[in-house]
Structures are given as C-alpha cells and as structure tokens.
Amino acid sequence: MALILFAFVVRVRDGLPLSASTDFQHNRELQERKQQLKVISKSLNLLPERGTIKGHELHIYFLSSEGVAYLMVCACSIPAAVAFCFLEDLRWEFTASFDNSAVTLATRPYPFLEFDSVIQKLQQHYNQSGGPSLGVTLAEVQEELRASPPQILTMEDVQLSNGAANGHIEQPAPSGQNQRLEPVSAPGILSLVLNIMCAALNLIRGVHLIEYTFQDDYEGIWNVVAFLLAFVCCVCQCHLYLFHSSLKKLKSFTLLTIIILCNTFLFGLRNVWQLAFHMSVACLSTLLCLNRKLLDRSSDCGV
C-alpha cells in the first residue's frame, strides 16, 4: 500500500480547490478522508497553520502558507516529519509555479489542472523513496516540528470551526442590544406612548409629593416610594419591549406585579379610573413584550 494516497491544494480564504492528485483507489476510509478534506478546507482560516487529524489507518496532515493550504491523506505508518516534508515540497513546487495574484484571481474550482501532474510525480517519488526530493531536508523539518509541534485535531474540532465560520454554530446568547427583534408594531408604539405617559404621571406625582412629605407628613414617604417605583417599572417595561433580554418572561411579570401593587397601595390618591388606566397599560405592555419575538436567522442573515 502506498504511503501517500492523496494530496490536495486549496485557497485558504474560501476553500476553493486549486489542484489535486489523481486517485485510483477505492479504499473506503480513503473516500471518507477525502470527504473530510472538503470540510477542513472550509475552515482553514480558523485552524492552525499546521495540523494533524488522525484516523484508524489513514491520517490527514495540512500546512497553510501565504493564503494557500496543502493537505494530504497518508498511511498512519508514515512519520509526521516525512508527511510535513512532503507538504513543504508541495508548497515549494506550487509557489514556484504560480504567484499570489493567480491564486487570488482564481474563480472556478481546479484552475491549475496542469499542476496535478506535478503533485502526482512528487507523490510517486515519496512513495518510492520515502523521503524529500527538493530543498527541504528531513532534519530541518524535524527541528521545526520540535520547536513548533503541529496541533492534533479531531473532526469535531474542525466541524466546530466550520460552523463558526459559516454562522451555523450555536453560540451563547449575546446581549439584548445585539439581538434583533421583530419590527415594532402599531400596538407596540401605542403601548410605548402610554407607558411613557404613565411614567411621566408617576414621576410628576412622586416629585410633587416629596415637597409636602418632608415638610409636613413623613409617613407619606411610602406614597413617594410607590410613585417613583411605578415610574421606574414603566421605564423598564419600555426597555424590555424595545430590546431583547434573557429571562424576559420573568422580568415582564415581575414588573407587572410591582406596578399593580404600587397602584393598589396608592388607592385613595388615585381614583378607580386612574388605577384601571395604569394597570391596563401595564398589562398591555407585558402582553406585547412577551409576544415580540426574535427575528429568524434566515430573516436576519443580511444584517
């Protein structure tokens, strides 16, 4: 069995295949590794420059340099230093044949078909001699690997990076200001206006009572607290409607409960109709807040 079975050259930026060796084998594990190479190529910009992914009988090695990555599938018996010698030789051959502008301007897969024969010859040389063929020596690569060992990865690591690169990975919920909610509806605008009105009424009554409370009736301090607390809760309801927040349901019901309790405590300073108005606005705001959902990922993909 050949030591090096398949070699692959891709552009790091987007994983565009540039060239590859010809594969005449139908080894099942080899076909699986080739499929994994495609996954790896999509997340190379998030992976280290050198890496190894070990399999049962076949390993994958990759090397990235100057915007181009060189990958190979080889038998597990081949030493890592020899594998990276092959990749260094492959890199040397590719950079001698094509400049960065040619790689950057490539738009279709496998634009450098003429390089396939070069890969094939290099692969054949390694399979026959088992060692480097160009300027890179085994001792140099061994020393470099000792100084900077390649990272050993798993396909789970690669898929995690690939998901992050494409926005498919499930991430921790960002802060509410960074989440996008559905557009504000007409009833939502109405509830915001009414909530701001209630907040203003609570603040005005609370500030007005402060003057009389500290002059004549210190027992009225609790009325001041109720007005100001209701004011704060109205403002918080507006914020909760406009911005996404974790534990939204708990916060919404907590604010609603406090507003109802404050207005109940203020019975006497407010008549029944005033109390009903404030409580109704609080209930409407809570309902709309709970019903305003986050935009679907597909709806927000262009943002």
Side-chain angles (χ1 to χ4, degrees), residues 33-180:
R33 294 289 173 267
K34 288 173 67 176
Q35 290 297 320
Q36 290 172 354
L37 288 179
K38 296 179 181 179
V39 177
I40 295 169
S41 66
K42 297 299 183 182
S43 52
L44 283 165
N45 56 345
L46 297 177
L47 297 177
E49 290 185 358
R50 284 194 185 93
T52 304
I53 299 173
K54 295 184 176 181
H56 180 61
E57 294 182 354
L58 303 177
H59 292 348
I60 294 175
Y61 294 89
F62 63 87
L63 167 69
S64 299
S65 176
E66 298 179 349
V68 179
Y70 310 88
L71 306 93
M72 64 182 288
V73 179
C74 65
C76 61
S77 58
I78 188 173
V82 174
F84 283 106
C85 274
F86 173 81
L87 294 177
E88 288 286 358
D89 277 344
L90 185 58
R91 181 184 67 83
W92 193 91
E93 289 276 18
F94 187 84
T95 53
S97 302
F98 309 102
D99 57 20
N100 287 335
S101 61
V103 174
T104 302
L105 295 174
T107 57
R108 58 182 177 83
Y110 300 103
F112 307 129
L113 288 175
E114 66 272 21
F115 191 71
D116 295 5
S117 60
V118 178
I119 301 177
Q120 207 72 31
K121 290 177 182 178
L122 185 61
Q123 186 176 325
Q124 186 177 4
H125 169 83
Y126 267 79
N127 287 335
Q128 291 176 354
S129 66
S133 63
L134 300 174
V136 178
T137 67
L138 186 61
E140 290 174 342
V141 173
Q142 286 175 331
E143 182 63 29
E144 192 172 351
L145 293 180
R146 276 195 293 267
S148 179
Q151 188 169 342
I152 298 176
L153 304 169
T154 64
M155 283 308 299
E156 287 76 13
D157 297 329
V158 175
Q159 288 166 350
L160 191 66
S161 300
N162 193 21
N166 291 282
H168 297 148
I169 182 172
E170 184 177 347
Q171 300 177 349
S175 62
Q177 285 77 1
N178 293 330
Q179 292 273 38
R180 289 185 61 83

Side-chain angles (χ1 to χ4, degrees), residues 213-214 216-224 265:
T213 297
F214 287 105
D216 302 318
D217 181 18
Y218 285 95
E219 293 181 358
I221 188 65
W222 293 111
N223 293 328
V224 174
F265 182 80

